[in-house]
Every structure is written in structure tokens, then in C-alpha cells.
Amino acid sequence: MKSRGVTLFGLPTLLTVFIVITILSFATLSLLSANSDRNALKRTTSLVASTYALQSMTEEKIASLAKELTETSQNRENIDVILSQFLLKHPEITYNNTNRTLVFALEYSVLRMDVTLEVGSIADQPILTRTSYRLSTKNGQDYSLDGDPVWGG
């Protein structure tokens, strides 16, 4: 009887199929990874754009409030009288009489900016000084640290 030896019949085909499957697996994983990176980049870009838009809105609001306070104070009245008239026009602003601070919030997209302004006076002219910013999402995640945005969540 003749003994059969080990034959390599089909081994190159199996090896080729294994290599093709391996390459397709890595290509699929790379594509999925690139797709998730693209989606994360879109979300981050949207958040940054919304943050800058909200920051601009906040600065415009502070400038308009300061201008309005200055125009109201042209009558040279007491600053407390000026503030009471001012607050009647702006019900969205809360005033803390003990600290002399104005607090208001603006919302844009999914973000919310809480702003605290200190009211001071120089020669009976009201001056607004930013005390704090708090940038957060509507679900409460804070993106600010001492007034500076934190991009790590």
C-alpha cells in the first residue's frame, strides 16, 4: 500500500481568502472610525460656532445695557433711582441690592449663558463690570471655569 503524503491542495486558495477577509475587515473598521471622527468633528464645530454666537449676543446685550444705563443717568439722578427705572424696562434681569449685581441669562441653540454684572458708579455714572460668565448646556453640563470655556466637558 502506498502511503499518502500531505498535500497542499487548496492551501493557497484558503490563504488568499483569509488575506482578503482580513483586508476587508481592517478597511471596514477604518471606515467606521473615520465616520465617527467626522460626526464628532461636526458636533464639536457646531458647539464652538454656537458658543461664539452666544458670546457675541452676550457682549451685544452688555453693551446695549451699558449704553441704556448711561443714557438714563444723563438726568444726574441717584443711581438707585436710575436702576429702579432701568429694571422696570428689563424684567428678564434680576438685581441683587446687597451686592449691587445684575444677573441675566441668554440661550442659543442648546447653550445657556448666565452673566453676572456688578453695578458701580464713577461721578454718578453707572458702570457695568462683568463678574462672572457661566456657559452650560440645557441639560446642565458646565462648559465654563472661572469665566473661561472648558472644552473637555
Side-chain angles (χ1 to χ4, degrees):
M1 209 179 230
K2 224 177 188 185
S3 72
R4 289 185 166 192
V6 176
T7 63
L8 298 176
F9 179 73
L11 186 61
T13 305
L14 289 175
L15 191 58
T16 303
V17 168
F18 176 72
I19 290 172
V20 168
I21 289 174
T22 305
I23 290 173
L24 286 175
S25 308
F26 284 123
T28 303
L29 289 174
S30 295
L31 183 64
L32 291 174
S33 176
N35 192 25
S36 70
D37 288 347
R38 180 182 56 108
N39 291 339
L41 186 60
K42 279 184 181 178
R43 284 191 308 270
T44 302
T45 304
S46 173
L47 181 64
V48 170
S50 296
T51 300
Y52 282 125
L54 184 59
Q55 183 72 25
S56 296
M57 288 170 49
T58 302
E59 292 298 326
E60 289 171 4
K61 175 90 171 178
I62 292 171
S64 71
L65 293 177
K67 181 180 177 186
E68 188 176 338
L69 266 176
T70 303
E71 289 172 355
T72 307
S73 67
Q74 295 300 327
N75 301 339
R76 300 284 185 202
E77 296 179 24
N78 183 359
I79 191 151
D80 294 322
V81 174
I82 294 169
L83 282 174
S84 65
Q85 293 172 358
F86 176 76
L87 291 171
L88 287 175
K89 295 178 188 175
H90 297 282
E92 75 278 5
I93 298 175
T94 58
Y95 179 64
N96 184 338
N97 202 13
T98 57
N99 296 342
R100 291 191 104 166
T101 56
L102 299 172
V103 178
F104 67 93
L106 293 175
E107 291 185 0
Y108 181 80
S109 183
V110 297
L111 297 175
R112 176 184 169 96
M113 177 79 78
D114 297 306
V115 181
T116 304
L117 303 171
E118 184 177 345
V119 180
S121 64
I122 296 179
D124 291 332
Q125 290 290 321
I127 294 179
L128 297 179
T129 307
R130 279 173 292 215
T131 306
S132 71
Y133 280 147
R134 182 176 184 269
L135 179 64
S136 60
T137 58
K138 288 185 180 176
N139 67 1
Q141 184 177 9
D142 195 355
Y143 280 98
S144 60
L145 175 67
D146 299 330
D148 298 323
V150 177
W151 302 115

